[in-house]
Amino acid sequence: MKSKQGLVALGVGVLLLGACASSRDPVGQGGVDAALEVDAALGDDAGASVDAAPTAVDAATADAAAPDAALPDAGLPDAALPDATADASADATVDTTAPGAVVNLTATALGFDRVRLDWTAPGDDGATGTATGYDVRFALAAITSDPLFAAAASAGTPPAPALAGTAQSMTISGLGPNTTYHFALRARDEVPNTGARSNSASATTFNRASLLITEVAPSNGAVDNYDFIELTATQGGRTDGLSVTDASGTVHMLAPFSIATGERIVIHTTGLPCPTGCVQEDLGGSATASTAAGASAAWDVYTSSTGLIATDNVISLREGTTIRDAVALANRDGDASAAAMTAFAELRSASAWSFSVAPVDATNDCAVQREAVSVATTDTLCGGFAVAGAARSLQRNGTSDTDGKADFFVGPQTPGAASAGNAAPSVVSATPRAATTVRVRFDDELAAAGVLPGSFSITGLAVSAATLVDVHEVDLTVSPAQTPGAPYVVNVSAVTDLQGTALGSPASARFCGFSAVPPGVVINELSPAQVGGSDLVELRVTAGGPLLGVTLRMNPDATGGTTLLGTLPAICAATGDLVVVHLIPPAGTAMTSETTSVTQFPVATYAANYDGAYDVLGSTSTGISATETVLLLRDSAGAILDAVAFSNQSASASPALFLTALTYIQGATAWLPPNCGGAPCTDTTTPTAKGVAASYMGVGSTPTGMSCRRTADTNLRADWSVAPQTLGATN
């Protein structure tokens, strides 16, 4: 840095005199003469005044006392006189050397929004010293000229310059993802002199991967390789900072790695240590490294948490606290947990899921659950319904992302692979609810737009209204009034599920005209010891009507515990009709329930059937106990139609289930006597439990052998006897 010292007033005066002498007398003598002339003209006092250092006031006084004409240089033009101010500036030492230019600027992307710049510090004067500051600029195009540099945006506050030759860097934040930025800088000193523009350096910020939650399996056990969440990249990029959470907290934080468009990540909630052969593939860099059971073709990762909440839950993909994607799921039982309702409310506030009302615990649980994806497996209070098949999961309908339940359907699990697609919805049943009302039930949620009167037709009845009363049930208003017990068929068209999938097969259902009086049905004949458990139960209709929903059950109790053996289809039965329920059909037997007539599937083609009865397929896994058992019939509303206690009269102790069931049906007055000597029946009471049960001792093990048959309807042991079977015919 150069020195810039001014001249004192006295020094200026001496230089002025010397300059005059020099300009008028090259050899220097005139300077002496001039000095003498000034002394002579002004006198001793004037001479003393020049010799002394003058102040601004002294100079003015001297000029006033001595006119210009009296001065020895009065004959010179004004231009020839020296200027003290100009001479002082010219004699000062000025810094005109700019800092050097940075020639090795580089840019490196650090993330989605950050770039680091590196360079070597220039000097204050060229390549030496320490500059005073930097001006760092960035643009979306190369900065290759000074005008482009001036037009570029400031990159914020750079570091103070270091000594020339020192490596320096700065990080620029707040940039956009997947964008190429160009940078340049220049240094300045304190004058300020500005150095030349650096080279233009560029970097492209990371591309943030766009991921969707595409499959969730919240109810798997070890046999199904545990619960999992599948993510699919709709846009390739980096996974830095992404995590998956549920209503209970963080499920997994993804490691930073690059994923290509279309690739999948499967997050297995196995807990740690993970299964044998597992590899955290988001750390290992290979999507084929894991060989654990359940490993997929996708990127497999394993969580420290075990399992997902399978009732009411929110699965979300987050970047920090920002929700990038989410799915709300519910079991639709009408009572979501407080934690789940809080999670639902967060989704609504973040516009991450479409809830029409703000979720408030214990206030609108049912309405909120209806707008989440159903994970129910049976009929529930708030729109749950039975889902067929095992190992099911929630699967996204392609890349649909409307933040609503229509984005997902239930189907067979496909972790790490594309979904097999949404199965077409179908008609499950039609049930008369009143003389002018029929309810049609489907196996999937329906789009309300397709539920119109014109989508339904019933021969002999006109449909004037169609109302979606539950997510998968439609009430039809019909006229005229149905004929009680008469057969009808409802045909459906132009109805779709929430995903827009058209109706599949079956698209129709049979029902019997509404009757205010429920049908009467009794257990009529029993073959309980058939080979392979292929047991047969014959029912007799004592009062005609619709049999849809009538259930055959084994060993019921007061708490509702029971084994379901079969549910009757829509048979429009007349008084005296017979129904044979087939349990565990023999291997190779193709069994389909008859609904339209007793010869719908004739014995000539279906050897196991009976042409004198409606043949109905019951349980395919459970037969009747060959020792002691209680059978019970309930109507579609759950009322008891009939009950019978059976025993093979063996000497072995009666099973506890049998004793409990016997007490239950006696208490319901469905079997007599009502007790055994005033106490619940056991093997030691009088009479004993076996003593009040109908005996099927001696029944055969083939369909043509002996069976236990009803001969009276008094609900007593004496109503039954063992005789040659007459299944499908009058006893």
Side-chain angles (χ1 to χ4, degrees):
M1 188 184 304
K2 294 183 172 50
S3 174
K4 299 172 180 62
Q5 297 176 350
L7 300 176
V8 297
L10 178 58
V12 171
V14 172
L15 287 173
L16 285 172
L17 293 176
C20 289
S22 174
S23 61
R24 300 171 65 178
D25 184 5
V27 296
Q29 183 61 42
V32 177
D33 293 341
L36 294 175
E37 290 174 9
V38 171
D39 288 341
L42 299 179
D44 291 340
D45 291 342
S49 182
V50 171
D51 289 340
T55 66
V57 175
D58 291 338
T61 303
D63 285 342
D68 287 344
L71 294 175
D73 55 358
L76 294 174
D78 288 344
L81 293 174
D83 186 302
T85 302
D87 192 73
S89 176
D91 204 58
T93 304
V94 178
D95 180 2
T96 59
T97 304
V102 171
V103 296
N104 63 343
L105 179 66
T106 61
T108 305
L110 298 181
F112 304 124
D113 63 349
R114 294 174 296 123
V115 169
R116 187 187 72 238
L117 301 182
D118 293 277
W119 69 92
T120 300
D124 176 277
D125 297 319
T128 61
T130 302
T132 300
Y134 291 118
D135 184 4
V136 182
R137 304 287 181 106
F138 73 98
L140 298 179
I143 304 173
T144 55
S145 69
D146 288 345
L148 291 176
F149 185 90
S154 172
T157 304
L163 184 65
T166 302
Q168 291 197 269
S169 66
M170 71 176 290
T171 297
I172 300 167
S173 301
L175 305 174
N178 194 31
T179 303
T180 300
Y181 292 94
H182 299 262
F183 303 87
L185 62 80
R186 58 199 315 171
R188 66 177 181 275
D189 64 15
E190 80 288 351
V191 173
N193 296 307
T194 302
R197 170 181 38 83
S198 73
N199 60 296
S200 182
S202 66
T204 301
T205 50
F206 292 171
N207 186 21
R208 178 186 288 109
S210 294
L211 302 176
L212 282 179
I213 299 167
T214 49
E215 187 171 359
V216 179
S219 301
N220 283 356
V223 68
D224 297 314
N225 298 310
Y226 303 98
D227 298 348
F228 68 84
I229 300 166
E230 178 190 84
L231 311 175
T232 300
T234 57
Q235 174 181 292
R238 300 276 299 179
T239 62
D240 305 50
L242 296 179
S243 65
V244 175
T245 67
D246 73 356
S248 64
T250 300
V251 176
H252 186 72
M253 174 69 74
L254 290 173
F257 76 107
S258 294
I259 186 171
T261 300
E263 288 190 321
R264 303 170 192 270
I265 302 169
V266 177
I267 301 171
H268 303 268
T269 61
T270 58
L272 298 178
C274 54
T276 302
C278 73
V279 173
Q280 299 284 16
E281 292 178 346
D282 58 342
L283 295 174
S286 170
T288 60
S290 183
T291 60
S296 69
W299 296 89
D300 293 294
V301 298
Y302 301 85
T303 69
S304 57
S305 58
T306 303
L308 300 171
I309 299 171
T311 52
D312 301 280
N313 202 357
V314 167
I315 308 298
S316 59
L317 175 70
R318 298 173 183 256
E319 183 179 0
T321 59
T322 301
I323 300 173
R324 295 297 180 189
D325 189 37
V327 54
L329 49 95
N331 67 355
R332 298 185 176 176
D333 64 353
D335 185 19
S337 68
M341 291 295 282
T342 298
F344 293 154
E346 182 194 17
L347 292 193
R348 186 176 189 270
S349 297
S351 299
W353 195 261
S354 299
F355 289 113
S356 57
V357 295
V360 179
D361 186 39
T363 300
N364 54 11
D365 296 44
C366 189
V368 169
Q369 286 181 318
R370 284 179 182 274
E371 295 183 321
V373 182
S374 175
V375 293
T377 56
T378 60
D379 285 1
T380 57
L381 180 65
C382 302
F385 53 92
V387 177
R392 317 294 278 185
S393 65
L394 308 181
Q395 298 175 36
R396 188 177 290 273
N397 185 35
T399 56
S400 174
D401 191 18
T402 64
D403 295 327
K405 63 182 179 179
D407 291 342
F408 287 83
F409 60 87
V410 177
Q413 297 177 13
T414 58
S419 167
N422 185 25
S426 62
V427 176
V428 173
S429 63
T431 308
R433 306 283 290 180
T436 58
T437 305
V438 177
R439 178 163 294 179
V440 184
R441 182 183 179 90
F442 297 81
D443 65 355
D444 203 351
E445 294 194 47
L446 301 182
V451 179
L452 302 169
S455 300
F456 302 85
S457 63
I458 304 173
T459 302
L461 300 174
V463 179
S464 59
T467 305
L468 189 64
V469 293
D470 203 350
V471 297
H472 66 303
E473 292 181 329
V474 177
D475 274 2
L476 305 179
T477 302
V478 300
S479 61
Q482 305 158 48
T483 301
Y488 294 95
V489 175
V490 57
N491 294 289
V492 187
S493 63
V495 170
T496 69
D497 63 13
L498 294 179
Q499 292 73 38
T501 307
L503 193 66
S505 179
S508 62
R510 175 184 171 87
F511 69 96
C512 308
F514 177 78
S515 175
V517 180
V521 186
V522 297
I523 300 165
N524 199 53
E525 189 170 349
L526 179 65
S527 291
Q530 301 297 293
V531 174
S534 300
D535 300 331
L536 301 165
V537 182
E538 182 186 79
L539 312 177
R540 176 167 51 89
V541 178
T542 60
L547 302 187
L548 178 66
V550 172
T551 57
L552 173 64
R553 300 173 180 272
M554 182 169 65
N555 292 330
D557 63 29
T559 66
T562 184
T563 300
L564 180 65
L565 296 179
T567 302
L568 300 191
I571 298 172
C572 301
T575 299
D577 281 348
L578 300 175
V579 176
V580 175
V581 178
H582 298 251
L583 305 176
I584 316 178
T589 301
M591 185 71 203
T592 303
S593 295
E594 293 176 319
T595 57
T596 60
S597 73
V598 295
T599 57
Q600 182 179 358
F601 303 110
V603 69
T605 305
Y606 301 87
N609 284 6
Y610 298 89
D611 283 352
Y614 288 94
D615 293 286
V616 172
L617 176 62
S619 172
T620 59
S621 61
T622 303
I624 297 171
S625 170
T627 55
E628 282 76 37
T629 193
V630 171
L631 297 184
L632 176 139
L633 285 174
R634 292 187 186 275
D635 67 15
S636 59
I640 296 176
L641 294 171
D642 189 33
V644 182
F646 294 99
S647 170
N648 69 351
Q649 304 301 314
S650 69
S652 60
S654 298
L657 284 175
F658 167 72
L659 296 176
T660 300
L662 175 59
T663 300
Y664 171 67
I665 64 173
Q666 287 175 311
T669 67
W671 189 250
L672 299 173
N675 53 60
C676 291
C681 299
T682 67
D683 289 340
T684 59
T685 57
T686 302
T688 64
K690 293 180 182 181
V692 301
S695 173
Y696 53 43
M697 183 174 59
V699 296
S701 60
T702 66
T704 58
M706 303 291 279
S707 67
C708 187
R709 304 185 304 173
R710 181 189 288 269
T711 57
D713 292 337
T714 62
N715 296 332
L716 288 166
R717 168 192 173 96
D719 293 345
W720 294 83
S721 63
V722 174
Q725 68 88 8
T726 57
L727 294 167
T730 303
N731 289 349

